[in-house]
Amino acid sequence: MNVYDWDDTIYRGDSTVGFVKYLWLHRPKTLINLPRTIWFGLLYVLHIVPKLTFKSNLYRMFRYVDDMEKVVEDYTSSYLDHVKNWYKEAQKEDDVVISASPEFLIQAFCKKVGIKTCMASVVDMHTGEYSGLNCHGEEKVRRYREVFNDTKIENFYSDSYSDTPLARIAENAYLVKGDNLLPWDKK
């Protein structure tokens, strides 16, 4: 089985950042939350609050979207061209995506691409509230093992060394830089 990160790995760019910008443009009422986002963004940059607190406050903007299912459908359909060609050529039926982005967003993309198994941060699309932890670092390993136990990961792909915990349990791991796949330094 092959396991992939999503943003900047299979998907060119950060799908969550793109989605936030899409909401600001297509649902301008979400801009009401911008001062809160800026405030908690500053606190996060200054290491006063953790990333989860920043993201939770950013996602509060979802409360101002009355038709979130439609917006997610429109956004994911509009940005399918961001799926990298190298992935399309390598895709297998049992691929797994594990991402820190909101699960509802990643699931919508994965469904369109034909990826059946996806794990991500559980965020309520209507309130922006988290259920559990941000699916990042060691949490990705915990979530993987929760579903697959000790099933071996043949190949793991990510753009970030923050995913080293998953890389360590894979037979082979690759660092994705643009369209280039580099060997992972598992130190």
Side-chain angles (χ1 to χ4, degrees):
M1 152 182 335
N2 294 329
V3 176
Y4 298 84
D5 177 44
W6 178 256
D7 295 309
D8 285 321
T9 301
I10 290 175
Y11 185 88
R12 190 171 315 285
D14 185 313
S15 60
T16 303
V17 170
F19 184 60
V20 166
K21 290 177 181 177
Y22 186 87
L23 286 173
W24 286 339
L25 183 63
H26 295 274
R27 298 298 181 274
K29 191 176 177 185
T30 58
L31 290 166
I32 292 170
N33 197 63
L34 191 56
R36 176 185 213 97
T37 299
I38 292 168
W39 173 249
F40 280 94
L42 177 62
L43 293 176
Y44 170 66
V45 168
L46 295 173
H47 304 286
I48 295 170
V49 299
K51 183 184 276 189
L52 185 62
T53 300
F54 164 67
K55 287 176 127 182
S56 295
N57 281 281
L58 168 67
Y59 297 159
R60 285 178 60 90
M61 71 189 300
F62 299 165
R63 297 169 189 213
Y64 302 105
V65 180
D66 297 327
D67 58 344
M68 186 61 94
E69 290 83 358
K70 178 183 179 343
V71 174
V72 170
E73 174 63 27
D74 292 349
Y75 173 72
T76 55
S77 294
S78 298
Y79 286 86
L80 279 176
D81 62 343
H82 281 54
V83 175
K84 296 179 181 182
N85 287 330
W86 73 263
Y87 175 73
K88 292 177 193 175
E89 294 167 6
Q91 185 173 2
K92 294 183 179 177
E93 190 174 322
D94 64 346
D95 286 348
V96 174
V97 166
I98 306 179
S99 173
S101 288
E103 188 175 59
F104 69 85
L105 186 62
I106 302 306
Q107 281 180 342
F109 272 118
C110 285
K111 184 177 179 183
K112 287 176 173 57
V113 173
I115 299 169
K116 295 175 186 162
T117 306
C118 148
M119 295 171 233
S121 298
V122 181
V123 176
D124 185 298
M125 71 165 48
H126 301 289
T127 65
E129 293 177 11
Y130 272 83
S131 297
L133 299 175
N134 190 30
C135 189
H136 180 266
E138 289 290 344
E139 181 64 10
K140 286 187 177 186
V141 173
R142 190 193 70 71
R143 297 278 303 277
Y144 175 81
R145 289 205 166 124
E146 190 176 77
V147 174
F148 295 105
N149 298 311
D150 290 329
T151 301
K152 200 72 170 155
I153 297 172
E154 185 179 345
N155 298 298
F156 173 67
Y157 302 84
S158 176
D159 70 301
S160 172
Y161 281 118
S162 68
D163 284 329
T164 295
L166 269 177
R168 283 190 185 123
I169 65 169
E171 290 177 13
N172 306 295
Y174 301 94
L175 188 65
V176 179
K177 292 296 174 193
D179 292 320
N180 299 313
L181 306 179
L182 310 170
W184 193 287
D185 181 5
K186 293 187 187 182
K187 291 179 187 176

